[in-house]
C-alpha cells in the first residue's frame, strides 16, 4: 500500500484508481470489484477498436461507432485473457505470484483512462460527427482549438492507462516499479514479436490510395499480401535487413500482382502486375501489349466505373487480356494512343521484372523508366493475397441511414485476379 494511503475499506476504487492505483487495486481485489472485470474489459476493447477503426479512411462516423460496439467487447475479452496469461508467465520468472484472475482484475481496472477516452470520443463524435474523425486522423490540420484539445486528451488518456497498468500489476505481484515495468514491457514485447513475425513471415496489410490497379484492386481496398510467396529478401522485414539475395526463393509468375519497393525510393511500396520476365522483350503499340514480338489477345468487356480519391467517378472501357501462359485479367483504357500506349521495346534484364498497372493510362510503372523502370527481383517481397475490407468515398457523412452505403460488401474476402 502507498504511504499515507487510506485503508482499503474506505477507498472508492472508481476514483482512487487514478491517483492511488496500488491502494485502489488492493481494495478491488479484496472486495466486490472483481465482478466488474469483464465489463471493464469489454469497454476497454471498444476503446481500442474505436481508436484503430477511426483511422480507416472513408468510414462513416456511425459505422465507426457500430464497429466499436459490435467488435470491441469480444476483442477486449480476448485481450484480457491473453494479457493475463502473458503477465502471469513473465511475472513468475520475475518472482511474482499473482494468479491470472487477479492479474485480469488489475488489467481491467487500469483501463479506466482508456474507457474515459472512449466516452470522450463518443461524445465528440455525437457532436462533431465526421469532423472529429478527420481531426483524429490528422490532428496537425485542425484549426478548431476545442476540437484539437479533445483529440489531444483522447490520445493522452491511454498513456495514463499504461502507467496505471504498471502500478496495478506491480501491486498484485508485489513488485517495485522496476520489476512491474519489466513485467508489463516483456508481456507487450511477446505480443509485438508475434505480430512482427506474422507481418514478416506470413501476411502484411496494405491499403490502396490510387486507381492504378483498377479493376483488380480498387481505390479504398485494404488487402493482405502473402510474404511466403517469393521467399525472404532484405525488404521482407519492417526495416531493411541489408543482405543480398533471397531465402527460400520462388520466382514471380507472369500475371502475379506483386508488392515491391520502388527502385528509385526504397521507402515506397508499389503494387503492380508482373508482365515481363527476365529475358523478355515488352512493347506497347497503339495500346496493344506485345511480349517477345507476339501481341497479347485483347477482348472488349464493356465499360467499368472507377471511383477516385476525390469522390468523383468516371466510366472507362475495359478489355480482357490473355497472357501467353493463359492467365486472363481485365485492363482499363481511359484513352486510345495515350502517352504510355506507344512505348518500348523494353528488354528485361536478368534478375529483373517488367511490371504494369491494369489501369493502363493511369499507372506509373515500368513503362516510365525515370519513375519506376525495371524492378529488381529482390525488391519484390509479397504477392497480393486477399482483400479484407473495402470502402469507397462517403456519399452522405451526416445521416446514419447511409453509414454503410460506401462499404463494398462484395469485395470482402476477394482474391484479386
Amino acid at each position: 500500500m502507498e504511504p499515507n494511503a487510506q485503508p482499503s475499506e474506505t477507498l472508492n476504487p472508481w476514483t482512487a484508481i487514478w491517483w492511488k492505483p496500488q491502494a485502489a487495486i488492493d481494495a478491488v481485489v479484496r472486495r466486490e470489484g472483481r465482478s466488474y472485470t469483464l465489463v471493464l474489459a469489454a469497454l476497454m476493447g471498444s476503446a481500442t477498436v474505436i481508436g484503430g477503426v477511426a483511422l480507416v479512411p472513408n468510414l462513416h462516423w456511425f459505422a465507426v461507432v457500430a464497429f466499436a460496439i459490435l467488435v470491441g467487447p469480444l476483442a477486449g475479452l480476448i485481450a484480457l485473457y491473453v494479457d493475463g496469461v502473458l503477465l502471469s508467465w513473465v511475472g513468475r520468472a520475475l518472482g511474482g505470484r499473482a494468479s491470472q484472475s487477479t492479474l485480469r482484475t488489475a488489467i481491467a481496472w487500469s483501463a479506466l483512462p482508456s474507457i474515459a477516452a472512449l466516452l470522450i470520443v463518443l461524445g465528440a463524435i455525437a457532436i462533431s460527427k465526421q469532423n472529429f474523425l478527420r481531426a483524429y486522423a490528422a490532428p496537425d490540420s485542425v484549426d478548431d482549438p476545442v476540437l484539437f484539445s479533445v483529440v489531444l486528451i483522447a490520445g493522452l488518456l491511454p498513456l495514463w492507462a499504461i502507467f496505471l497498468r504498471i502500478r496495478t500489476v506491480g501491486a498484485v505481484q508485489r513488485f517495485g516499479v522496476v520489476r512491474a515495468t519489466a513485467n508489463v514491457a516483456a508481456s507487450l514485447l511477446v505480443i509485438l514479436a508475434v505480430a512482427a513475425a506474422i507481418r514478416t513471415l506470413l501476411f502484411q496489410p496494405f491499403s490502396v490510395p490510387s486507381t492504378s490497379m483498377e479493376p483488380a484492386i480498387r481505390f479504398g481496398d485494404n488487402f493482405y499480401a502473402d510474404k511466403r510467396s517469393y521467399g525472404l529478401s532484405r525488404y521482407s522485414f519492417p526495416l531493411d535487413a541489408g543482405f543480398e539475395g533471397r531465402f527460400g526463393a520462388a520466382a514471380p509468375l507472369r500475371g502475379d500482382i506483386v508488392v515491391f519497393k520502388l527502385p528509385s525510393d526504397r521507402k515506397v511500396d508499389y503494387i503492380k502486375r508482373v508482365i515481363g520476365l527476365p529475358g523478355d522483350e515488352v512493347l506497347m503499340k497503339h495500346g496493344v501489349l506485345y511480349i517477345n514480338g507476339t501481341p497479347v489477345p485483347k477482348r472488349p468487356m464493356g465499360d467499368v466505373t472507377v471511383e477516385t480519391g476525390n469522390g468523383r467517378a468516371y466510366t472507362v472501357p475495359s478489355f480482357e487480356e490473355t497472357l501467353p501462359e493463359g492467365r486472363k485479367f481485365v485492363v482499363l483504357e481511359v484513352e486510345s494512343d495515350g502517352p504510355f500506349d506507344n512505348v518500348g521495346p523494353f528488354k528485361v534484364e536478368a534478375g529483373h521484372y517488367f511490371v504494369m498497372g491494369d489501369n493502363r493510362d493511369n499507372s506509373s510503372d515500368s513503362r516510365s523508366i525515370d519513375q519506376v523502370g525495371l524492378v529488381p527481383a529482390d525488391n519484390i517481397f509479397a504477392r497480393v493475397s486477399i482483400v479484407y475490407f473495402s470502402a469507397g468515398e462517403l456519399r452522405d457523412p451526416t445521416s446514419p441511414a447511409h453509414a454503410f452505403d460506401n462499404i463494398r460488401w462484395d469485395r470482402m474476402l476477394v482474391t484479386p485476379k
Side-chain angles (χ1 to χ4, degrees), residues 104-326:
R104 289 196 295 269
T105 301
I107 294 167
W109 278 83
S110 67
L112 279 181
S114 294
I115 295 170
L118 169 67
L119 299 178
I120 292 172
V121 167
L122 291 176
I125 290 176
I127 296 171
S128 300
K129 298 182 171 58
Q130 210 68 29
N131 288 334
F132 176 79
L133 294 186
R134 296 190 187 99
Y136 182 82
D140 55 342
S141 64
V142 179
D143 295 327
D144 185 343
V146 175
L147 197 56
F148 178 81
S149 299
V150 173
V151 171
L152 182 63
I153 293 172
L156 290 177
L157 279 171
L159 298 179
W160 188 253
I162 295 174
F163 168 77
L164 290 188
R165 176 173 290 205
I166 293 173
R167 297 299 299 275
T168 54
V169 167
V172 297
Q173 292 278 43
R174 299 297 183 251
F175 287 162
V177 174
V178 173
R179 280 198 296 170
T181 302
N183 195 175
V184 172
S187 303
L188 178 60
L189 285 175
V190 171
I191 295 174
L192 293 177
V194 172
I198 292 173
R199 184 184 185 278
T200 299
L201 302 175
L202 301 177
F203 299 98
Q204 181 176 344
F206 290 91
S207 60
V208 181
S210 76
T211 62
S212 69
M213 280 300 297
E214 294 268 0
I217 301 179
R218 302 186 62 182
F219 170 82
D221 278 356
N222 293 264
F223 66 88
Y224 286 111
D226 191 342
K227 305 288 282 288
R228 304 168 301 172
S229 300
Y230 310 124
L232 289 176
S233 76
R234 62 191 295 180
Y235 301 114
S236 300
F237 300 86
L239 298 176
D240 186 346
F243 62 85
E244 301 295 333
R246 310 182 75 90
F247 295 99
L253 301 177
R254 196 191 317 274
D256 284 358
I257 304 176
V258 299
V259 185
F260 61 92
K261 293 294 183 181
L262 186 64
S264 59
D265 185 354
R266 293 174 179 176
K267 296 179 181 178
V268 178
D269 297 323
Y270 259 40
I271 306 160
K272 303 295 176 187
R273 189 184 297 273
V274 172
I275 297 297
L277 304 178
D280 283 345
E281 182 180 85
V282 179
L283 168 70
M284 289 292 295
K285 186 176 181 180
H286 301 301
V288 176
L289 172 64
Y290 288 75
I291 299 177
N292 297 324
T294 302
V296 171
K298 187 175 181 180
R299 182 169 66 93
M301 295 292 288
D303 291 343
V304 171
T305 299
V306 176
E307 297 180 42
T308 63
N310 56 14
R312 298 180 180 178
Y314 61 91
T315 302
V316 56
S318 67
F319 301 85
E320 181 186 74
E321 289 187 347
T322 304
L323 295 174
E325 294 80 5

Side-chain angles (χ1 to χ4, degrees), residues 233 235 244 246 252 259-264 266 349-355 366 372-381:
S233 76
Y235 301 114
E244 301 295 333
R246 310 182 75 90
V259 185
F260 61 92
K261 293 294 183 181
L262 186 64
S264 59
R266 293 174 179 176
E349 302 172 7
H352 290 73
Y353 291 86
F354 190 95
V355 298
S366 290
V372 181
L374 298 178
V375 179
D378 284 358
N379 286 45
I380 299 174
F381 62 88

